[in-house]
């Protein structure tokens, strides 16, 4: 029993210590953000890598999810004679939940892992030390643009996912199942509230983007500078960020009703 | 200083002469590169003091170290060039960060430095497109971009063919003679050390020996003499210092033999 308690205490201590390091890391990013130079070029480069290069996977996934949602929604609603509400079901599901969450999970796998691997490799090849020796803070030059790009790209990608998803649901509902186009769209329009649904969706994806950006840059920055270490850091980014997104999703929904 | 539980540089005290080329020698794992990283503030000494010029940097914060690093240049063993930037951008980087010079002035300075290390028409090449010798020369040029007072050079000859080795050696000597720059070079290459060093620091398991290379070659300490004259034991003598194999249990196999 004593051994178990000691191990538990050790585990809790490590978790608290880890959270402290991440908080200090986040504080450092905020501190360098308010300091010039603004590094627009590096930020736009990262925004391209995180955002633009994720567009294809987001569009394809959004369309597929929307189509499945349209099909499943129709099959369920038709039992109750409520198939005219398909637009509301597809729209609310995507805007409130599936858009932000699935976008965050997809972006973690595509861009978050790549951010960790890139920073970890820079550490292993002494590029971060090289920056320090040139009197340039790696958190300022390397980490800040990547973390901010993730936070900015996430709501934009989420919006794209939602639009593609609604499009997919429309194709299935109107094109295949024969629901009237006006009925689908008016159902969607009447159900979605900007303040409660759209703003909440944006809030969620901004929080998820910040979370994924922070975890992926932190894991890369603290990776053991070996090939095995970088690989382990990349894996842990995907696991930790995905689980964090799901946990945060629950609490945001519970606390803010989004 | 220790890596995990493995201590390095215990009880080591040495001084590097201003304006001279000092070469740090020692066996693998003796802490040669660690000395450079301590001087650059990339590693923190767990005990003792590190003084750069007349400034004790042992307890400096990272922000204070950046001021000190502006007076230092470092050429890393594998170059540590930023692999997302071209050769021109890599060399321009420290000036772009700190100098306030115009783009044209920076480009002119970069070309001047590249010419000094014997490179032309490499502006647009990426680091991955350079040979090992070219990487070393670009790294040397980058370390020189801010006209540092002290140049730290980590294993400049490792992995180079004899011609490239002599070229890098000649460049280091020329830079030292023309600019009177203090250089601290970590190397395994005894012939180059004997030709270029004005001061040698030899790390031994029980301390440090330093002095002029020719004086150290005449040292009464057989370990020092042997290291600097590259006297090598016969393979039987070397094996005598390693494992004793018990016949019948761990019989050593001859290369290629069954």
């Amino acid at each position: 029993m004593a051994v178990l308690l000691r191990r538990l205490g050790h585990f809790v201590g490590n978790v608290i210590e880890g959270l402290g390091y991440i908080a200090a890391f986040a504080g450092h990013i905020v501190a360098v953000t308010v300091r010039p130079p603004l590094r627009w070029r590096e930020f736009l480069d990262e925004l391209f890598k995180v955002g633009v290069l994720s567009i294809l996977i987001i569009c394809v996934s959004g369309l597929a999810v929307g189509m499945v949602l349209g099909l499943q929604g129709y099959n369920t609603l038709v039992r109750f004679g409520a198939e005219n509400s398909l637009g509301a079901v597809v729209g609310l599901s995507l805007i409130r939940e599936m858009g932000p969450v699935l976008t965050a999970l997809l972006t973690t796998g595509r861009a978050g892992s790549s951010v960790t691997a890139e920073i970890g490799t820079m550490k292993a090849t002494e590029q971060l030390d090289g920056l320090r020796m040139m009197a340039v803070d790696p958190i300022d030059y390397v980490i800040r643009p990547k973390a901010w790009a993730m936070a900015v790209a996430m709501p934009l990608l989420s919006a794209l996912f939602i639009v593609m998803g609604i499009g997919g649901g429309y194709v299935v509902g109107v094109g295949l199942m024969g629901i009237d186009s006006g009925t689908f769209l008016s159902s969607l329009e009447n159900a979605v509230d900007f303040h409660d649904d759209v703003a909440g969706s944006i809030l969620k994806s901004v929080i998820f983007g910040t979370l994924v950006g922070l975890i992926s840059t932190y894991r890369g920055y603290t990776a053991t500078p070996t090939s095995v270490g970088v690989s382990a850091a990349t894996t842990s980014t995907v696991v930790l960020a995905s689980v964090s997104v799901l946990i945060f999703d629950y609490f945001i929904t519970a606390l803010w009703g989004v | 200083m220790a890596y995990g539980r493995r201590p390095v540089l215990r009880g080591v005290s040495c001084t590097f002469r201003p304006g001279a080329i000092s070469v740090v020698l020692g066996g693998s794992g003796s802490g040669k590169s660690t000395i450079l990283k301590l001087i650059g503030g990339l590693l923190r000494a767990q005990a003792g003091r590190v003084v750069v010029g007349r400034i004790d940097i042992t307890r400096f914060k990272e922000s204070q170290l950046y001021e000190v690093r502006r007076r230092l240049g470092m050429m890393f063993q594998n170059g540590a060039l930023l692999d997302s930037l071209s050769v021109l951008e890599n060399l321009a980087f420290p000036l772009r960060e700190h100098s306030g010079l115009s783009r044209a002035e920076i480009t002119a300075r970069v070309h001047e430095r590249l010419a000094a290390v014997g490179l032309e028409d490499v502006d647009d090449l990426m680091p991955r497109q350079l040979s090992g010798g070219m990487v070393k020369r670009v790294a040397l040029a980058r370390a020189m971009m801010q006209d540092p007072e002290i140049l730290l050079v980590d294993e400049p000859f490792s992995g180079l063919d004899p011609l490239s080795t002599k070229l890098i050696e000649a460049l280091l000597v020329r830079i030292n003679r023309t600019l009177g720059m203090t250089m601290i070079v970590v190397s395994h290459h005894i012939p180059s050390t004997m030709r270029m060093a004005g001061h040698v620091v030899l790390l031994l398991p029980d301390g440090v020996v330093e002095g002029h290379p020719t004086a150290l070659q005449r040292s009464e300490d057989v370990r020092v003499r042997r290291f600097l004259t590259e006297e090598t034991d016969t393979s039987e003598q070397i094996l005598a210092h390693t494992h004793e194999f018990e016949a019948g249990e761990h019989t050593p196999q001859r290369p290629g033999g069954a």
Side-chain angles (χ1 to χ4, degrees):
Chain A
M1 188 65 183
V3 174
L4 197 68
L5 279 174
R6 197 179 310 135
R7 281 186 185 165
L8 184 67
H10 192 66
F11 173 76
V12 171
N14 280 346
V15 169
I16 292 170
E17 189 184 42
L19 288 174
Y21 281 126
I22 291 186
F25 183 76
H28 196 148
I29 294 173
V30 172
V32 294
T33 298
V34 296
R35 232 174 28 212
L38 292 176
R39 301 200 185 282
W40 280 106
R41 187 188 142 185
E42 287 78 14
F43 170 72
L44 291 174
D45 281 349
E46 293 305 326
L47 197 59
F48 177 82
K49 284 196 266 184
V50 172
V52 177
L53 297 184
S54 299
I55 284 178
L56 184 63
I57 189 175
I58 291 296
C59 285
V60 172
S61 305
L63 193 65
V65 167
M67 290 175 80
V68 170
L69 210 52
L71 203 56
Q72 293 281 19
Y74 180 84
N75 288 338
T76 307
L77 292 170
V78 81
R79 292 183 202 169
F80 309 102
E83 64 271 24
N84 288 344
S85 301
L86 185 65
V89 170
V90 169
L92 287 177
S93 305
L94 282 164
I95 292 169
R96 290 177 69 97
E97 199 58 48
M98 299 183 88
V101 172
L102 290 181
T103 302
L105 296 179
L106 287 167
T107 310
T108 298
R110 204 213 70 80
S113 56
S114 140
V115 163
T116 303
E118 186 181 340
I119 298 169
T121 306
M122 287 183 80
K123 188 177 180 188
T125 53
E126 294 185 309
Q127 291 178 58
L128 299 186
D129 279 346
L131 286 170
R132 285 195 188 92
M133 286 308 297
M134 289 187 280
V136 174
D137 184 353
I139 291 189
D140 180 17
Y141 180 72
V142 178
I143 306 294
R144 174 175 78 163
K146 291 184 193 301
W148 277 109
M150 193 71 82
V152 170
M154 195 69 84
L156 300 173
L157 291 172
S158 175
L160 184 63
F161 185 98
I162 291 165
V163 168
M164 293 305 293
I166 291 173
Y170 180 89
V171 167
V172 169
V174 176
L176 298 181
M177 299 302 169
I179 297 175
D180 177 64
S181 169
T183 307
F184 183 94
L185 291 175
S186 64
S187 157
L188 174 68
E189 195 180 331
N190 291 334
V192 176
D193 177 75
F194 181 82
H195 183 263
D196 286 347
D197 304 317
V198 179
S201 178
I202 294 169
L203 173 72
K204 261 189 185 180
S205 53
V206 167
I207 292 174
F208 294 161
T210 307
L211 205 57
V212 175
L214 190 59
I215 291 171
S216 56
T217 51
Y218 179 75
R219 297 304 297 167
Y221 193 72
T222 56
T224 307
T226 60
S227 53
V228 175
V230 174
S231 158
T234 307
T235 306
S236 87
T237 287
V238 175
V239 174
L240 195 61
S242 302
V243 171
S244 304
V245 163
L246 295 173
I247 292 172
F248 269 71
D249 182 44
Y250 174 80
F251 283 108
I252 295 167
T253 308
L255 292 174
W256 284 303
V258 181
Chain B
M1 188 65 210
Y3 291 105
R5 289 182 181 175
R6 187 175 68 86
V8 288
L9 300 178
R10 184 156 37 188
V12 167
S13 175
C14 53
T15 307
F16 300 100
R17 285 182 14 222
I21 299 180
S22 300
V23 177
V24 182
L25 295 171
S28 294
S30 58
K32 301 185 297 295
S33 297
T34 303
I35 287 186
L36 296 189
K37 289 183 176 176
L38 285 169
I39 295 169
L42 298 175
L43 291 174
R44 301 293 183 137
Q46 285 146 348
R49 293 193 313 142
V50 180
V51 179
V52 177
R54 288 179 183 164
I55 306 168
D56 184 346
I57 65 163
T58 320
R59 301 278 168 259
F60 267 26
K61 292 178 190 166
E62 189 68 10
S63 54
Q64 292 173 296
L65 284 171
Y66 284 126
E67 289 304 312
V68 177
R69 286 175 190 148
R70 289 191 190 202
R71 299 166 51 202
L72 306 175
M74 184 157 179
M75 174 186 167
F76 287 83
Q77 185 173 353
N78 295 314
L81 299 174
L82 295 167
D83 51 19
S84 58
L85 302 183
S86 67
V87 168
L88 176 73
E89 289 168 328
N90 258 291
L91 265 68
F93 184 80
L95 294 182
R96 215 179 65 198
E97 288 293 316
H98 301 301
S99 71
L101 293 174
S102 70
R103 185 184 289 257
E105 287 170 318
I106 289 175
T107 306
R109 182 82 75 88
V110 168
H111 287 150
E112 189 185 300
R113 287 287 185 255
L114 281 174
V117 296
L119 289 172
E120 283 177 1
D121 298 329
V122 293
D123 287 11
D124 298 326
L125 293 181
M126 300 304 282
R128 65 177 177 279
Q129 296 172 299
L130 303 175
S131 68
M134 288 165 85
V135 166
K136 299 268 187 193
R137 283 190 277 166
V138 172
L140 178 59
R142 190 180 69 174
M144 299 281 303
M145 286 308 293
Q146 294 188 90
D147 298 324
E149 293 167 33
I150 302 168
L151 189 63
L152 308 173
V153 187
D154 193 4
E155 300 280 10
F157 313 119
S158 67
L160 295 184
D161 60 81
L163 204 63
S164 301
T165 299
K166 286 197 173 170
L167 177 61
I168 297 286
E169 179 193 323
L171 287 171
L172 291 173
V173 170
R174 189 166 70 188
I175 291 164
N176 173 255
R177 286 191 185 151
T178 52
L179 302 175
M181 191 179 289
T182 305
M183 285 189 187
I184 304 172
V185 182
V186 160
S187 177
H188 276 114
H189 202 264
I190 303 302
S192 291
T193 301
M194 298 311 294
R195 284 194 294 267
M196 71 180 189
H199 183 72
V200 167
V201 174
L202 176 59
L203 301 177
L204 294 169
D206 56 351
V208 63
V209 177
E210 56 182 314
H212 194 272
T214 48
L216 290 182
Q217 268 185 324
R218 294 193 295 271
S219 167
E220 289 180 2
D221 188 332
V222 67
R223 295 172 304 171
V224 176
R225 243 181 14 244
R226 186 175 284 167
F227 207 103
L228 289 174
T229 54
E230 287 193 304
E231 277 180 24
T232 49
D233 295 324
T234 62
S235 52
E236 285 77 14
Q237 285 171 316
I238 292 170
L239 282 174
H241 292 295
T242 58
H243 295 290
E244 297 287 342
F245 291 96
E246 286 185 28
E249 285 187 11
H250 304 287
T251 307
Q253 295 190 340
R254 292 174 190 282

